[in-house]
Amino acid sequence: KYNCFNKKRTYMKKGEGLVQFIKFGVVGVSNTGVDWIIFYILTATILVNAEPFAKAIAFIAAVLNSYLWNSVWTFKKEFKKTVGKDKLKNGTGLFIKFAIVSLVGWGINYYAFKYTRFSLDQGKLIALIAASGAATFWNFFGNKLWTYKKQD
């Protein structure tokens, strides 16, 4: 089938995007667990007075967890096609894209929290939900459309 620009349509199978979004959400919940557990372990043991540093380490661990699970589960087909035979070179490039999307997502999360909490004068829970929601959509679509974009 062709569209008005005479290019072949490349639709995903019915429901595939929704399934990927659900998987992405499951991975996101596991990332939150990794982030919080590492943060609390570090701040209770070796980084008692260094919460920002502990948070940075926990964030990095959560990004690595996210990259692993999204590559082998959520975007498995896209990952295999993109990485191909040169796993080290292509996998490194893919991880850099993933890290960029994650860092922008962290910024969106931070500023959405700050805006909702202080400019809109909402409670912590509402601000956390708004921030997580904004970052989740950015991270999913950023990764789906850029990091794991299907190669033609």
Side-chain angles (χ1 to χ4, degrees), residues 78-151:
E78 294 88 341
F79 176 76
K80 284 183 176 180
K81 285 183 180 179
T82 302
V83 171
K85 292 179 183 176
D86 194 347
K87 290 181 180 19
L88 182 61
K89 179 183 171 197
N90 295 336
T92 301
L94 202 66
F95 178 74
I96 290 169
K97 284 181 168 183
F98 190 89
I100 290 168
V101 170
S102 296
L103 285 171
V104 172
W106 175 81
I108 289 169
N109 187 297
Y110 176 81
Y111 286 106
F113 177 84
K114 190 174 175 181
Y115 177 76
T116 306
R117 179 80 171 114
F118 301 110
S119 296
L120 299 179
D121 198 29
Q122 296 296 312
K124 288 179 191 175
L125 182 60
I126 297 297
L128 284 170
I129 291 168
S132 294
T136 296
F137 280 100
W138 161 260
N139 286 330
F140 177 75
F141 289 108
N143 282 308
K144 180 159 186 62
L145 300 175
W146 186 51
T147 306
Y148 297 103
K149 181 181 178 184
K150 288 185 179 181
Q151 305 297 314

Side-chain angles (χ1 to χ4, degrees), residues 23-72:
K23 287 181 176 182
F24 191 82
V26 171
V27 171
V29 169
S30 78
N31 297 334
T32 301
V34 167
D35 184 30
W36 291 8
I37 290 167
I38 290 175
F39 174 78
Y40 281 107
I41 289 171
L42 290 174
T43 57
T45 58
I46 60 175
L47 297 175
V48 176
N49 295 317
E51 287 183 356
F53 186 57
K55 186 65 180 113
I57 292 170
F59 174 77
I60 291 167
V63 167
L64 292 172
N65 180 70
S66 183
Y67 178 71
L68 170 71
W69 287 108
N70 280 309
S71 294
V72 301

